[in-house]
Amino acid sequence: MAALRRLLCGGKSHVSVLLRREFHRSSPAALQVNVRDALNQALDEEIERDERVFLLGEEVAQYDGAYKVSRGLWKKYGDKRIMDTPISEMGFAGIAVGAAMAGLRPICEFMTFNFSMQAIDQVINSAAKTYYMSAGRVSVPIVFRGPNGASAGVAAQHSQCFAAWYAHCPGLKVLSPWSAEDAKGLLKAAIRDDNPVVMLENELMYGVPFELSEEAQSKDFVIPIGKAKIERQGSQITLVSHSRSVGHCLEAASVLAKEGIDCEVINLRTIRPMDTETIEASVTKTNHLVTVEGGWPQFGVGAEICAKIMEGPAFNYLDAPVFRVTGADVPMPYAKILEDNCIPQVKDIIFAVKKTLNVI
């Protein structure tokens, strides 16, 4: 009561001071977006931005996509921009490549990249080689996208990782996102690129939520193709990975940190062209390297990283051989216990790190 009386007696000066006070404002909560919705945002923004962009594939229109990545786009843009196709990968991939040669910018969705084998002649011989064979007169601005790698319980014919398959071919750019930010930024960059791009998503990541920065929420946000991201800084050992395995590496790094082992985790984002400079700079600092991938070991992404390190200046900084953590060198089994043993797990990464550092 006494305080109120003093305030009233103080007149306008006290009241004006009170009004000038600012309440503490907490920063807004980060936006949580799952990978599926991030891809949907990218498709929506790029189809709206450029009238030459369109999406085609099996069930992408009226059914909203097999994994609901294209949800709502057919209702918004209609049959001319979102096209359902027959179950013929060779056929609709060829239509898409021809459309790209004619000046459009198609996004060709494979329900799974395992089915892209039906269309590999179109992807490799038509899309990847035409710019070279035409002496630069005919560009093929096309995106081939869809889920890649092991899912769950779908056995040998639906569980392959095609990162090494497509990265082997000159003329293609190959992307492999992990987070929602990766998915949105890389897909937008792929659609705007004048070259054929293979975008390898992961079915098990579609429903995983990530924080999406204010920058990434912008319609102008793109991630440069060919640039990796350091997801965690470290000083003792470098873990290099792509797609779902990036999350496994971060989990392993958190466990190892409690034991005093400091891991640096690199998310490749792009398989081809590979950001060798970022890997070399990290190895020069940590002197140890472990590569992690879900694909088979022979002639894989990790094998290519090993070769690049051996051939470059970072080799002289290694204090131990490079260790590869990969999928098992067998067709994927159906039984869950066998499947789990064929896919790299967090415990496998922890073992590889400790063996490389000779603390096992």
Side-chain angles (χ1 to χ4, degrees):
M1 225 20 220
L4 179 60
R5 196 176 287 117
R6 282 197 302 272
L7 176 62
L8 293 172
C9 293
K12 293 182 179 179
S13 61
H14 283 83
V15 175
S16 62
V17 168
L18 184 64
L19 291 174
R20 283 200 302 270
R21 285 183 183 171
E22 293 185 1
F23 292 101
H24 172 71
R25 297 176 185 272
S26 58
S27 57
L31 183 65
Q32 291 276 324
V33 177
N34 64 37
V35 172
R36 175 187 293 106
D37 290 342
L39 291 165
N40 183 273
Q41 284 180 25
L43 291 169
D44 187 12
E45 290 169 8
E46 293 305 302
I47 291 170
E48 182 179 60
R49 173 180 173 271
D50 189 339
E51 63 181 10
R52 297 171 297 171
V53 176
F54 69 98
L55 172 69
L56 79 166
E58 295 156 351
E59 299 184 344
V60 300
Q62 296 185 44
Y63 188 66
D64 283 339
Y67 300 98
K68 306 307 175 190
V69 170
S70 54
R71 182 189 288 123
L73 298 182
W74 174 69
K75 289 181 180 177
K76 182 174 181 179
Y77 295 106
D79 291 323
K80 289 188 176 180
R81 308 292 297 281
I82 313 295
M83 302 180 184
D84 279 331
T85 66
I87 303 174
S88 173
E89 282 75 17
M90 174 64 87
F92 67 74
I95 290 170
V97 171
M101 291 177 178
L104 299 178
R105 305 185 81 88
I107 305 158
C108 177
E109 177 179 310
F110 294 121
M111 191 179 291
T112 159
F113 260 93
N114 298 279
F115 301 158
S116 74
M117 293 291 94
Q118 301 290 331
I120 198 163
D121 182 61
Q122 301 288 4
V123 178
I124 303 299
N125 283 325
S126 296
K129 298 177 182 177
T130 293
Y131 185 76
Y132 175 83
M133 294 178 70
S134 67
R137 291 183 178 87
V138 180
S139 59
V140 188
I142 185 172
V143 178
F144 300 101
R145 54 154 296 271
N148 168 72
S151 178
V154 291
Q157 294 176 330
H158 295 76
S159 300
Q160 294 160 228
C161 176
F162 289 91
W165 292 64
Y166 287 115
H168 183 66
C169 180
L172 291 177
K173 295 183 179 181
V174 182
L175 313 180
S176 184
W178 167 60
S179 66
E181 182 174 299
D182 291 351
K184 182 177 181 181
L186 289 173
L187 181 53
K188 288 171 72 72
I191 293 168
R192 298 183 188 189
D193 201 285
D194 288 332
N195 300 282
V197 180
V198 172
M199 176 91 162
L200 302 171
E201 301 153 15
N202 187 285
E203 178 186 340
L204 297 179
M205 295 303 298
Y206 282 147
V208 179
F210 290 87
E211 289 187 2
L212 203 62
S213 66
E214 190 173 341
E215 178 192 8
Q217 295 172 41
S218 166
K219 290 186 177 182
D220 298 320
F221 175 72
V222 293
I223 291 174
I225 292 174
K227 185 63 182 170
K229 180 184 179 184
I230 298 176
E231 298 286 353
R232 179 189 176 116
Q233 295 281 350
S235 60
Q236 290 179 269
I237 189 165
T238 300
L239 305 178
V240 182
S241 189
H242 67 96
S243 190
R244 185 169 176 249
S245 295
V246 175
H248 293 340
C249 287
L250 290 170
E251 286 183 50
S254 295
V255 173
L256 290 162
K258 296 174 184 176
E259 301 179 32
I261 299 173
D262 192 19
C263 302
E264 182 148 294
V265 178
I266 296 177
N267 173 9
L268 281 174
R269 285 181 163 176
T270 304
I271 309 299
R272 182 186 184 112
M274 186 176 288
D275 185 1
T276 308
E277 291 79 12
T278 295
I279 302 171
E280 287 180 336
S282 181
V283 170
T284 300
K285 176 177 66 172
T286 67
N287 311 116
H288 300 89
L289 175 61
V290 171
T291 68
V292 185
E293 62 186 304
W296 293 315
Q298 293 201 46
F299 317 105
V301 175
E304 178 64 18
I305 294 171
C306 289
K308 287 182 179 294
I309 293 300
M310 185 190 71
E311 294 166 353
F315 176 74
N316 296 315
Y317 290 85
L318 283 174
D319 289 341
V322 179
F323 197 111
R324 290 184 296 154
V325 179
T326 71
D329 196 22
V330 296
M332 184 64 70
Y334 175 73
K336 187 178 188 310
I337 189 168
L338 296 178
E339 182 183 67
D340 289 344
N341 280 282
C342 284
I343 302 170
Q345 307 292 339
V346 173
K347 63 180 176 61
D348 302 317
I349 301 169
I350 292 171
F351 173 82
V353 168
K354 289 183 175 180
K355 182 165 185 178
T356 303
L357 294 174
N358 199 28
V359 294
I360 223 167

